[in-house]
Amino acid sequence: MKVAKFGGSSVASATQFRKVADIVSSDVERRIIVVSAPGKRFKEDIKITDILIQLAQAVMEGTACDEIVQAVVKRYAEIAKELELPADEFTAELEKDLRWKMNEYRHDPCRLMDAIKASGEDHNARLMALYLQEIGLEASYVNPREAGIIVTDEPGNAQILPESYEKLYHLRKRRGVLVIPGFFGYSLEGNIVTFPRGGSDITGSIVAAGVKADVYENFTDVDSIYCVNPSIVENPRQLKEITYREMRELSYSGFSVFHDEALEPVYKAGIPVCVKNTNNPAAPGTWIVAKRNHHDEPIAGIASDTGFCSINISKYLMNREIGFGRRLLQILEDEGISYEHTPSGIDNMSVILRENQLEGGKEQRILDRIQTELEVDEVHIEHGLALIMVVGEGMERTVGMAAKATAALAKANINLEMINQGSSEVSMMFGVKEEVVADAVRALYEAYFQEASVGNEV
């Protein structure tokens, strides 16, 4: 059995719906499909989810909503009409559902946002099921509550509850193709609750784990996963295989293919993932697996992200002061701030975090508390940092990986603000100024991938 998830670009129009139908029809093992809300049809287009967010915000602000509601209805109606489906009943039900949610949750902003956003996936799954039936497939829409996707009652941040997996397994007994909307589940209290960003990927992964699928296919709009962002490096190398751990590290560090939480269910269940292209399904895609051969390619990929800052602290004999790190992190916890890395020395320590967490006067409060409560010699914040992650499980058994990186950055005349390697040796982190991050990524790509290619050809 295969579970196939189709992202927003894969279900953005009637043309894309037909491609999905062809893919589903071509393999009887594709028994369950998970769909996102319609994405962009062209570069300047707007995703349905973004329109729904506008709608929820308009309801909260008490401004006119009719035009936004009609924009949503029109988008689905266009898809249905092009697919030659009877659209009147479907669109009437869609509008009725939106208006009920607008009224029901008007005075509860968090519930309103979740319920309205979830409508995008929900109604797209209904429409997809109708189309599959129309072309002669035995297909049915399955609501997440009916499927057994039970989650914590945290609006916008749902976490799957363990009992869901046993409920989901019963889907194996159902006939035909099952179409499940991604992005949301139901709490034990019966509330609609959405997953964090990348939520449809999370749904697909949960369903695959629950039904004990042989393969989880994730259909998107590229032939494979690239080892580096193609907007930074032209025509980068495509990956045939990558491990769960490598993919998680890269996703966490800025790769847009998967949200880093999305792989956990299939990773725990040991289910291989294949990332494929809806527009070119014959391409082999990229496999995400438990183990791969690291001998020829110790590095899997390079990811980067901006918007970081570093709190830099110095205090003589810091290493002798028991509880210093705990008290420092307690200050951050008191302000509701999470951190990314904490490189340290005997007399100094840095805490790297997302700088958008320091808004609303938090930055000065934190500096004042560190100075007063920890009695440090010096504390300051360095803004405008970018983090680059070089990831590969083969680094542990390959000599000279860090030297190759530092030599490449020095050759490109890029100053390193920091370097950190975890004890697992799956990744190396480099901190640079945001303005040079693209140059740094290109230098590292050349060192790890282009030089290797030249060496292999000789």
Side-chain angles (χ1 to χ4, degrees):
M1 174 188 280
K2 294 179 180 178
V3 171
K5 178 261 175 180
F6 293 90
S9 61
S10 300
V11 290
S13 65
T15 300
Q16 295 302 101
F17 264 59
R18 292 190 182 98
K19 291 177 184 177
V20 170
D22 288 341
I23 290 168
V24 174
S25 303
S26 69
D27 189 343
V28 294
E29 290 299 311
R30 291 189 179 110
R31 293 266 314 283
I32 300 177
I33 68 171
V34 174
V35 298
S36 297
K40 291 185 177 184
R41 296 161 293 185
F42 44 88
K43 188 176 180 180
E44 298 79 18
D45 200 12
I46 183 167
K47 299 176 182 179
I48 277 288
T49 301
D50 291 334
I51 301 175
L52 290 168
I53 290 171
Q54 291 177 12
L55 175 60
Q57 289 171 338
V59 174
M60 293 177 202
E61 295 163 5
T63 56
C65 299
D66 283 353
E67 191 174 329
I68 306 175
V69 170
Q70 293 311 313
V72 175
V73 173
K74 181 183 177 184
R75 182 76 176 273
Y76 284 100
E78 287 173 354
I79 295 173
K81 183 179 179 182
E82 235 184 290
L83 293 173
E84 299 180 349
L85 294 172
D88 290 349
E89 185 178 345
F90 174 82
T91 53
E93 184 60 36
L94 165 60
E95 183 171 351
K96 179 183 176 183
D97 179 64
L98 286 175
R99 294 193 182 280
W100 181 85
K101 288 171 179 173
M102 289 160 59
N103 183 63
E104 179 72 12
Y105 302 110
R106 184 176 300 275
H107 302 297
D108 191 339
C110 292
R111 298 292 181 204
L112 174 72
M113 184 61 77
D114 266 17
I116 294 293
K117 282 196 301 184
S119 301
E121 277 75 11
D122 195 35
H123 290 285
N124 214 33
R126 294 174 190 271
L127 189 59
M128 179 63 72
L130 283 175
Y131 179 59
L132 294 179
Q133 292 164 9
E134 185 71 17
I135 64 170
L137 288 180
E138 184 179 4
S140 56
Y141 157 82
V142 182
N143 181 271
R145 177 157 48 188
E146 179 190 354
I149 301 175
I150 311 301
V151 299
T152 57
D153 204 15
E154 304 170 77
N157 192 39
Q159 305 294 313
I160 194 70
L161 293 177
E163 56 264 39
S164 297
Y165 293 107
E166 185 178 345
K167 295 176 184 294
L168 283 162
Y169 188 75
H170 293 291
L171 293 176
R172 294 181 67 98
K173 300 175 184 176
R174 297 186 55 163
R175 292 171 54 86
V177 177
L178 309 181
V179 187
I180 302 175
F183 191 36
F184 72 100
Y186 284 82
S187 69
L188 291 169
E189 295 79 9
N191 295 314
I192 295 171
V193 196
T194 62
F195 292 112
R197 61 193 178 95
S200 291
D201 287 332
I202 295 174
T203 299
S205 186
I206 288 167
V207 172
V211 300
K212 293 181 169 38
D214 299 304
V215 176
Y216 170 40
E217 296 178 315
N218 194 289
F219 282 88
T220 179
D221 54 5
V222 293
D223 280 352
S224 63
I225 298 172
Y226 297 103
C227 66
V228 70
N229 189 336
S231 68
I232 298 176
V233 174
E234 190 175 352
N235 297 319
R237 183 181 299 187
Q238 296 181 3
L239 296 173
K240 294 178 182 178
E241 279 189 334
I242 187 170
T243 68
Y244 298 119
R245 290 177 70 197
E246 290 169 337
M247 192 69 236
R248 171 166 158 69
E249 290 271 357
L250 289 167
S251 297
Y252 167 76
S253 309
F255 256 40
S256 59
V257 178
F258 274 107
H259 181 37
D260 57 305
E261 289 182 27
L263 285 173
E264 184 184 16
V266 285
Y267 163 68
K268 287 184 174 178
I271 297 169
V273 180
C274 190
V275 178
K276 294 178 72 69
N277 190 350
T278 305
N279 304 312
N280 184 21
T286 299
W287 284 92
I288 306 174
V289 293
K291 294 181 180 179
R292 69 175 179 90
N293 180 5
H294 303 102
H295 180 71
D296 295 330
E297 294 184 350
I299 302 298
I302 303 166
S304 61
D305 206 0
T306 56
F308 294 95
C309 66
S310 177
I311 304 175
N312 301 320
I313 302 156
S314 295
K315 185 176 185 181
Y316 191 61
L317 296 180
M318 180 191 294
N319 67 309
R320 300 284 300 275
E321 192 171 329
I322 295 172
F324 183 90
R326 175 187 56 77
R327 288 185 288 136
L328 169 61
L329 296 180
Q330 184 64 56
I331 292 172
L332 298 181
E333 183 180 341
D334 291 345
E335 292 288 348
I337 291 174
S338 62
Y339 68 94
E340 310 292 325
H341 302 276
T342 55
S344 63
I346 58 171
D347 291 331
N348 54 72
M349 185 174 183
S350 296
V351 181
I352 302 163
L353 47 90
R354 296 273 180 183
E355 57 187 352
N356 60 8
Q357 297 184 93
L358 297 179
E359 296 170 353
K362 288 185 179 182
E363 179 172 339
Q364 193 56 52
R365 284 201 305 273
I366 287 169
L367 289 175
D368 291 343
R369 285 190 63 184
I370 291 172
Q371 185 71 64
T372 304
E373 296 175 26
L374 302 182
E375 300 177 329
V376 300
D377 300 328
E378 183 183 351
V379 58
H380 68 277
I381 296 183
E382 183 178 2
H383 289 278
L385 292 179
L387 298 186
I388 303 169
M389 201 72 78
V390 177
V391 176
E393 289 192 34
M395 287 194 294
E396 184 180 4
R397 294 174 294 278
T398 308
V399 175
M401 289 288 100
K404 184 173 283 193
T406 53
L409 294 171
K411 183 180 176 182
N413 199 32
I414 292 169
N415 186 47
L416 268 174
E417 304 296 323
M418 66 192 73
I419 179 171
N420 191 32
Q421 183 169 16
S423 58
S424 65
E425 296 191 40
V426 175
S427 62
M428 291 184 293
M429 184 273 289
F430 302 96
V432 300
K433 291 293 188 183
E434 286 183 341
E435 56 265 26
V436 299
V437 63
D439 292 334
V441 169
R442 283 189 282 267
L444 291 169
Y445 176 79
E446 183 176 344
Y448 285 118
F449 292 100
Q450 290 188 323
E451 286 180 11
S453 297
V454 172
N456 290 337
E457 289 171 4
V458 174

